Structure formats: C-alpha cells, structure tokens
Amino acid sequence: MTRWKPNAKERLVRAALSLFRSQGFAQTTVAEIAERAGLTERTFFRYFADKREVLFAGAEEFEQHFITALDAVPRQSSAIDAAAASVEGVAIFLEERRDFARKRSAVIAENAELRERERDKMASLASALAAALERRGTDRAAAVLAAEMGVTVFRLAFERWIDDKSGHNLAQFVKESFAELKSVTAGGC
Amino acid sequence: MTRWKPNAKERLVRAALSLFRSQGFAQTTVAEIAERAGLTERTFFRYFADKREVLFAGAEEFEQHFITALDAVPRQSSAIDAAAASVEGVAIFLEERRDFARKRSAVIAENAELRERERDKMASLASALAAALERRGTDRAAAVLAAEMGVTVFRLAFERWIDDKSGHNLAQFVKESFAELKSVTAGGC
C-alpha cells in the first residue's frame, strides 16, 4: 500500500515545471519528475495520464471559472458585457498565479505539441462560453462572436501580462484589450 | 515508369470524399481510394502523405487567397475593413466550390482528429492574417484582434452558407456576419 503523500500533486507539478524549464519538455521523463518530487512513478500516474497533462491539469477548473463568472452576470447585460465580465472574473483568480502562469507559458511556447494542446484548450473554452451565452438567451451567432471575442481578448491580455514588467495586473490588461477590441471593430485603427 | 494520369489529383480527391461520406473516414483505406479513382496507391502517395491530407491539400492555397486579398486593400483602410475585404475576397473564390465545401465539412464534422486539424488550419490562418496586417503597419494588438475577428466571421458565415437552403451566397453571409460582429461588440445584443 502506498502511504498518503502530503501535496503530492502540487509537488509533481512544481518538479515537472522546473525540469521542463531547465532541460526541455521533450527531454524530461516521468521517472525524473517523480524523483525530483521525492515520489514514485506510480504516484505520478495516480494524478496524471502523462507528462503533458501536468501542464493541463487545471484546464477544467480554468474553464469552469469562466462559466461561473459568466453565470453571475445579470441577464439584462449584453453578450459582450457578459463575456467581458467573465474574462475579468478569471483575471482576478489568475492574478496570484502569475509566477506559475509565466513559467508554464514559457514551456508551452517552446514545444509545437504543447502549443497545439493549448490551442485546443482555448477552442474548447470558446465553445463552452458560447454555449453558456446561448443558455442565457443570446442567439447563436451573437453567442459565438462574443465568446470568440472574449477568448481573443483574454489571450491578448494574458500575453501582455506575462510579458509585463511594470506591475499592471491582468484585469487591467483585460479592460484595456476590450477597449481596443471596441475601437478596432469600430474601424478606429 | 508510371504513365501520366490526367487529373489524377482531382480524381483522388473526389474518390476519397465519396468514400469518406459513404463509409466513414476511419473505415476508408488509401488502397480503396486509389482503386475507386482507377489509380495505384503509388500514385496516391505522389500527391498526398496520407488520407487525411486529401482534405487539407488546399490549405496553403486557401490561406494564400486571404493574404492576396488583404494585400490588395488600400493602406489607408482600417484593420477591420482590411480583414473584412480579405474575407469577402475569399468568399467570392469559394462560391463556386460550395458543393465540395459542403461535402468536405460534413466529413470533418464527423471525426475528432479532422476537427482538430481544421482548427489548426484556422489558427494558422489567423496568425498569417495578423502578420500580414502588421506588415501594413497595424500595431500587434489591433492586428491580432482584427485577424481573429476576420477568422471568426469567416467561420460563422461559412457555417451559415453550408447550411443555407435559400440560395444566399457566401459573400452575403460574410457581410451580414461582420455587421453582427459590430453590433455585438458595441453591446447591441
């Protein structure tokens, strides 16, 4: 019987991220991750299907944050305001995870397979947001457009936040990017 | 030595599409496609790396149409107008390929691997459009936003065109979807 290990999942994520950064994702094995975390490979596989999933373990929770934030928006709000409120809600939740987000993004940027997996995650998020908007009564076209705009603004704001050295928070970048979206759509740029 | 076969590539595409539709993508082999086209497997592999690529053989040309249309837009136009002109240009080119587009979409909708490949194609298109807008002098944020909106509007208009039974053309759906984008972004829905 395996003894219960305190924070095993978190230790595995930290160990994996550190190894991916120092020696590359492709070059890192599950055995090395487990060893670095002071755990067994068997324990690793109790939490993750493979080393790639270490980086996507929070994907479901991530998507759920958007939906929860969206569901809290008053029904009278327009689709785009609802999408914006959802993205802002997630921004607040992510704010304290900036160091992790930055390291994770650096690993993903280096590997084509991971970039593809991240793209799928964002596509799935857009579909989930569109479906949640439709449940509020938004028609399909407006729901798809508002959801895609929300995800695009999130990606852009996230990219800025990751690169930022001036101490702005993610919610500020989200507001700024939404304002730019409105200006671009109106033909202002 | 293989003799030159007239329209070999086109015959292979037609044969593949017909088999994918009648018996499913997963169940169809390259041998069957070649046989249906009256060609050899060896000829098949002169044109396509595998059966999936039959459905994506036009991806590069597709992307190039967007870029060519975008490059023809006067420099003074706003980023969103340039993106709209690009999508409308492609709509005109696609109009005569509706039957093929409809059949191809039906095959892709049925298979997760193909849907993922199609998503990658659209993501690559968005990056290429954003890069082309940046070359025109649009700043990165506005370029990313306008490109993503262009691709989203294209997807929405394409979906409507594929489903349409009233004889509207793709360019009309593109114009309509851009108008909806403007209304949604302005908070009108």
Side-chain angles (χ1 to χ4, degrees):
Chain A
M1 299 299 284
T2 356
R3 271 195 318 127
W4 178 76
K5 313 283 186 185
N7 308 320
K9 191 174 178 181
E10 199 190 320
R11 280 157 62 192
L12 288 163
V13 171
R14 279 174 194 278
L17 206 53
S18 158
L19 288 164
F20 292 162
R21 290 178 73 218
S22 61
Q23 60 188 42
F25 174 78
Q27 288 73 40
T28 301
T29 64
V30 167
E32 288 172 305
I33 296 168
E35 197 198 332
R36 171 74 63 102
L39 297 164
T40 62
E41 280 190 69
R42 191 178 156 154
T43 302
F44 178 95
F45 288 116
R46 280 171 52 205
Y47 293 101
F48 307 105
D50 53 41
K51 65 177 178 176
R52 192 182 71 169
E53 287 314 301
V54 177
L55 296 167
F56 294 93
E60 220 170 290
E61 192 196 2
F62 173 75
E63 191 171 299
Q64 196 49 55
H65 273 286
F66 280 91
I67 304 303
T68 305
L70 185 64
D71 288 344
V73 178
R75 290 252 162 189
Q76 317 85 279
S77 299
S78 68
I80 196 74
D81 287 348
S86 168
V87 175
E88 282 168 30
V90 174
I92 290 160
F93 153 79
L94 281 180
E95 194 59 42
E96 63 197 58
R97 288 166 174 75
R98 178 165 156 178
D99 183 57
F100 174 78
R102 191 176 261 178
K103 288 174 182 167
R104 178 181 175 279
S105 293
V107 171
I108 287 173
E110 293 295 317
N111 183 287
E113 184 200 339
L114 296 175
R115 288 197 302 273
E116 211 170 291
R117 177 73 177 77
E118 181 74 2
R119 245 189 342 246
D120 287 344
K121 189 180 100 173
M122 300 313 273
S124 154
L125 171 62
S127 301
L129 275 178
L133 285 165
E134 280 192 86
R135 282 196 301 274
R136 289 166 56 90
T138 304
D139 78 51
R140 175 161 163 76
V144 167
L145 289 166
E148 292 285 348
M149 295 312 98
V151 171
T152 300
V153 162
F154 174 79
R155 278 178 37 217
L156 191 64
F158 186 86
E159 193 182 282
R160 287 167 159 178
W161 177 62
I162 289 289
D163 291 340
D164 177 59
K165 280 162 191 72
S166 68
H168 283 58
N169 62 39
L170 180 54
Q172 285 171 279
F173 286 115
V174 167
K175 278 188 206 296
E176 193 182 302
S177 303
F178 259 107
E180 275 174 67
L181 171 74
K182 293 195 179 210
S183 158
V184 168
T185 310
C189 316
Chain B
M1 298 301 283
T2 356
R3 270 196 317 127
W4 178 75
K5 314 282 187 187
N7 308 320
K9 191 174 178 181
E10 199 190 320
R11 280 157 63 190
L12 288 163
V13 172
R14 279 173 194 279
L17 206 53
S18 158
L19 288 164
F20 293 162
R21 290 178 72 217
S22 61
Q23 60 188 40
F25 174 78
Q27 288 72 40
T28 301
T29 65
V30 167
E32 289 172 305
I33 297 169
E35 198 197 332
R36 169 75 62 103
L39 298 164
T40 62
E41 280 190 69
R42 190 177 157 159
T43 302
F44 178 94
F45 288 115
R46 280 170 54 204
Y47 293 101
F48 308 105
D50 54 40
K51 65 177 178 176
R52 192 181 72 169
E53 287 314 302
V54 176
L55 296 167
F56 294 94
E60 219 170 288
E61 192 197 2
F62 173 74
E63 192 170 299
Q64 196 49 57
H65 273 286
F66 280 91
I67 305 303
T68 305
L70 186 63
D71 288 343
V73 178
R75 290 252 163 191
Q76 318 86 278
S77 299
S78 68
I80 195 73
D81 287 348
S86 167
V87 175
E88 283 168 30
V90 173
I92 290 159
F93 154 79
L94 281 179
E95 193 58 43
E96 62 197 58
R97 288 165 173 75
R98 178 165 156 179
D99 182 57
F100 175 78
R102 190 176 261 178
K103 288 174 183 168
R104 178 181 175 279
S105 292
V107 172
I108 287 173
E110 294 294 317
N111 184 287
E113 183 200 340
L114 296 175
R115 288 197 301 273
E116 209 170 290
R117 177 73 177 78
E118 181 73 3
R119 248 195 332 252
D120 288 343
K121 189 181 100 174
M122 299 314 272
S124 154
L125 171 62
S127 302
L129 275 178
L133 284 165
E134 279 192 87
R135 281 197 302 274
R136 289 167 55 91
T138 304
D139 77 52
R140 177 163 163 75
V144 167
L145 290 166
E148 291 287 348
M149 285 187 278
V151 171
T152 300
V153 161
F154 174 79
R155 279 179 37 218
L156 191 64
F158 186 85
E159 193 182 282
R160 288 165 158 178
W161 177 62
I162 288 289
D163 291 340
D164 177 59
K165 281 163 190 72
S166 69
H168 283 57
N169 62 39
L170 179 54
Q172 285 171 279
F173 286 115
V174 167
K175 276 186 206 295
E176 192 182 303
S177 304
F178 258 107
E180 276 175 67
L181 171 75
K182 292 194 179 210
S183 158
V184 168
T185 311
C189 317

Coordinates of all heavy atoms in Angstrom, one line a residue, chain A residues 133-166:
Chain A
L133 N -23.5 31.4 -23.1 CA -24.3 32.6 -23.6 C -25.6 32.2 -24.2 O -26.6 32.9 -24.0 CB -23.4 33.4 -24.6 CG -22.2 34.2 -24.0 CD1 -21.3 34.6 -25.0 CD2 -22.8 35.4 -23.2
E134 N -25.6 31.1 -25.0 CA -26.9 30.7 -25.6 C -27.9 30.3 -24.5 O -29.1 30.6 -24.6 CB -26.6 29.5 -26.5 CG -26.1 29.9 -27.9 CD -26.2 28.7 -28.9 OE1 -27.2 28.5 -29.5 OE2 -25.1 28.1 -29.0
R135 N -27.4 29.7 -23.4 CA -28.3 29.3 -22.3 C -28.9 30.6 -21.7 O -30.0 30.5 -21.1 CB -27.5 28.5 -21.2 CG -27.3 27.1 -21.6 CD -26.9 26.2 -20.4 NE -25.7 26.7 -19.7 CZ -24.5 26.3 -20.0 NH1 -24.3 25.5 -21.1 NH2 -23.4 26.8 -19.4
R136 N -28.2 31.7 -21.7 CA -28.8 33.0 -21.2 C -29.8 33.6 -22.2 O -30.4 34.6 -21.9 CB -27.7 34.0 -21.1 CG -26.6 33.8 -20.0 CD -25.4 34.7 -20.2 NE -25.8 36.1 -20.3 CZ -25.9 37.0 -19.3 NH1 -25.6 36.6 -18.1 NH2 -26.2 38.2 -19.5
G137 N -29.9 33.0 -23.4 CA -30.9 33.5 -24.3 C -30.3 34.3 -25.5 O -31.0 34.8 -26.3
T138 N -28.9 34.4 -25.5 CA -28.3 35.0 -26.7 C -28.4 34.1 -27.9 O -28.3 32.9 -27.8 CB -26.8 35.2 -26.4 OG1 -26.7 36.0 -25.1 CG2 -26.1 36.0 -27.5
D139 N -28.7 34.7 -29.1 CA -28.8 33.8 -30.3 C -27.4 33.3 -30.7 O -26.4 33.9 -30.3 CB -29.5 34.5 -31.4 CG -28.7 35.5 -32.2 OD1 -27.6 35.2 -32.6 OD2 -29.1 36.7 -32.3
R140 N -27.4 32.2 -31.4 CA -26.2 31.5 -31.7 C -25.1 32.4 -32.3 O -23.9 32.3 -31.8 CB -26.4 30.3 -32.6 CG -25.2 29.6 -33.0 CD -25.3 28.2 -33.4 NE -24.0 27.8 -34.1 CZ -22.9 27.5 -33.5 NH1 -22.9 27.5 -32.2 NH2 -21.8 27.2 -34.2
A141 N -25.4 33.2 -33.3 CA -24.4 34.0 -33.9 C -23.7 35.0 -32.9 O -22.5 35.0 -32.8 CB -25.0 34.8 -35.1
A142 N -24.6 35.7 -32.2 CA -24.0 36.6 -31.2 C -23.2 35.9 -30.1 O -22.2 36.4 -29.7 CB -25.2 37.4 -30.6
A143 N -23.7 34.7 -29.7 CA -23.0 34.0 -28.7 C -21.6 33.5 -29.2 O -20.6 33.7 -28.5 CB -23.8 32.7 -28.3
V144 N -21.5 33.0 -30.4 CA -20.2 32.6 -31.0 C -19.3 33.8 -31.1 O -18.1 33.8 -30.7 CB -20.4 31.9 -32.4 CG1 -19.1 31.8 -33.1 CG2 -21.1 30.6 -32.2
L145 N -19.8 34.9 -31.6 CA -19.0 36.1 -31.8 C -18.5 36.7 -30.4 O -17.3 36.9 -30.3 CB -19.8 37.2 -32.5 CG -20.0 36.9 -34.0 CD1 -21.1 37.9 -34.6 CD2 -18.8 37.0 -34.8
A146 N -19.4 36.8 -29.5 CA -19.0 37.3 -28.2 C -18.0 36.4 -27.5 O -17.0 36.8 -26.8 CB -20.2 37.6 -27.3
A147 N -18.2 35.1 -27.6 CA -17.4 34.1 -26.9 C -16.0 34.2 -27.5 O -14.9 34.2 -26.8 CB -17.9 32.7 -27.0
E148 N -15.9 34.2 -28.9 CA -14.6 34.3 -29.5 C -13.9 35.6 -29.2 O -12.7 35.6 -29.0 CB -14.8 34.1 -31.1 CG -15.2 32.8 -31.5 CD -14.1 31.7 -31.4 OE1 -12.9 32.0 -31.2 OE2 -14.5 30.5 -31.5
M149 N -14.6 36.7 -29.1 CA -14.0 37.9 -28.8 C -13.5 37.9 -27.4 O -12.4 38.4 -27.1 CB -15.0 39.1 -28.8 CG -15.6 39.4 -30.2 SD -14.3 39.6 -31.5 CE -14.4 38.0 -32.2
G150 N -14.2 37.3 -26.5 CA -13.8 37.1 -25.1 C -12.5 36.3 -25.0 O -11.5 36.8 -24.3
V151 N -12.4 35.2 -25.7 CA -11.2 34.4 -25.6 C -10.0 35.1 -26.3 O -8.9 35.0 -25.8 CB -11.5 33.0 -26.3 CG1 -10.2 32.2 -26.5 CG2 -12.5 32.2 -25.5
T152 N -10.3 35.8 -27.4 CA -9.2 36.5 -28.0 C -8.7 37.6 -27.1 O -7.4 37.8 -27.0 CB -9.7 37.1 -29.4 OG1 -10.1 36.1 -30.2 CG2 -8.6 37.9 -30.1
V153 N -9.6 38.4 -26.5 CA -9.2 39.4 -25.6 C -8.4 38.8 -24.4 O -7.3 39.3 -24.0 CB -10.4 40.2 -25.1 CG1 -10.1 41.0 -23.8 CG2 -10.9 41.2 -26.2
F154 N -8.9 37.7 -23.9 CA -8.2 37.0 -22.8 C -6.7 36.7 -23.2 O -5.8 36.9 -22.5 CB -8.9 35.8 -22.4 CG -8.1 35.0 -21.3 CD1 -8.1 35.4 -20.0 CD2 -7.4 33.9 -21.7 CE1 -7.4 34.7 -19.1 CE2 -6.6 33.2 -20.8 CZ -6.6 33.6 -19.5
R155 N -6.6 36.1 -24.4 CA -5.3 35.7 -24.9 C -4.3 36.8 -25.0 O -3.2 36.8 -24.6 CB -5.4 35.0 -26.3 CG -5.8 33.5 -26.2 CD -5.9 32.9 -27.5 NE -4.9 33.4 -28.4 CZ -5.1 33.7 -29.7 NH1 -6.3 33.5 -30.3 NH2 -4.1 34.2 -30.5
L156 N -4.8 37.9 -25.6 CA -4.0 39.1 -25.8 C -3.6 39.7 -24.5 O -2.5 40.1 -24.2 CB -4.9 40.1 -26.6 CG -4.2 41.3 -27.2 CD1 -3.1 40.9 -28.2 CD2 -5.2 42.3 -27.8
A157 N -4.6 39.9 -23.5 CA -4.3 40.4 -22.2 C -3.3 39.6 -21.5 O -2.4 40.0 -20.8 CB -5.6 40.6 -21.4
F158 N -3.5 38.2 -21.6 CA -2.7 37.3 -20.9 C -1.2 37.4 -21.3 O -0.3 37.5 -20.6 CB -3.2 35.9 -21.1 CG -2.5 34.8 -20.3 CD1 -2.9 34.5 -19.0 CD2 -1.4 34.1 -20.9 CE1 -2.2 33.5 -18.3 CE2 -0.8 33.1 -20.2 CZ -1.2 32.8 -18.9
E159 N -1.1 37.5 -22.7 CA 0.2 37.7 -23.3 C 0.9 38.9 -22.8 O 2.1 38.9 -22.5 CB 0.0 37.8 -24.8 CG 1.2 37.6 -25.7 CD 0.8 37.8 -27.2 OE1 0.3 36.8 -27.8 OE2 1.0 38.9 -27.7
R160 N 0.2 40.0 -22.7 CA 0.7 41.3 -22.2 C 1.1 41.2 -20.7 O 2.1 41.7 -20.3 CB -0.3 42.4 -22.3 CG -0.5 42.8 -23.8 CD -1.7 43.6 -23.9 NE -1.6 44.4 -25.2 CZ -2.6 45.2 -25.6 NH1 -3.7 45.4 -24.9 NH2 -2.4 45.9 -26.7
W161 N 0.3 40.5 -20.0 CA 0.5 40.4 -18.5 C 1.8 39.6 -18.2 O 2.6 39.9 -17.4 CB -0.7 39.7 -17.9 CG -0.7 39.4 -16.5 CD1 -0.6 40.3 -15.4 CD2 -0.9 38.1 -15.9 NE1 -0.8 39.6 -14.3 CE2 -0.9 38.3 -14.5 CE3 -1.1 36.8 -16.5 CZ2 -1.1 37.2 -13.6 CZ3 -1.3 35.8 -15.6 CH2 -1.3 35.9 -14.2
I162 N 1.9 38.5 -19.0 CA 3.1 37.6 -18.9 C 4.4 38.4 -19.2 O 5.4 38.2 -18.6 CB 2.9 36.4 -19.9 CG1 1.8 35.5 -19.4 CG2 4.2 35.7 -20.1 CD1 2.1 34.7 -18.2
D163 N 4.3 39.3 -20.2 CA 5.5 40.0 -20.6 C 5.7 41.3 -19.8 O 6.8 41.9 -20.0 CB 5.3 40.4 -22.1 CG 5.4 39.2 -23.1 OD1 5.9 38.2 -22.6 OD2 4.9 39.4 -24.2
D164 N 4.7 41.7 -19.1 CA 4.8 43.0 -18.4 C 5.8 43.1 -17.3 O 6.0 42.1 -16.5 CB 3.4 43.3 -17.8 CG 3.4 44.6 -17.1 OD1 3.7 45.6 -17.7 OD2 3.1 44.6 -15.8
K165 N 6.5 44.2 -17.3 CA 7.5 44.4 -16.2 C 7.1 45.6 -15.3 O 7.8 45.9 -14.4 CB 8.9 44.6 -16.8 CG 9.5 43.3 -17.2 CD 10.6 43.4 -18.2 CE 11.1 42.1 -18.7 NZ 10.1 41.5 -19.7
S166 N 5.9 46.2 -15.6 CA 5.6 47.4 -14.9 C 4.6 47.2 -13.7 O 4.2 48.1 -13.0 CB 4.9 48.4 -15.9 OG 3.7 47.8 -16.3

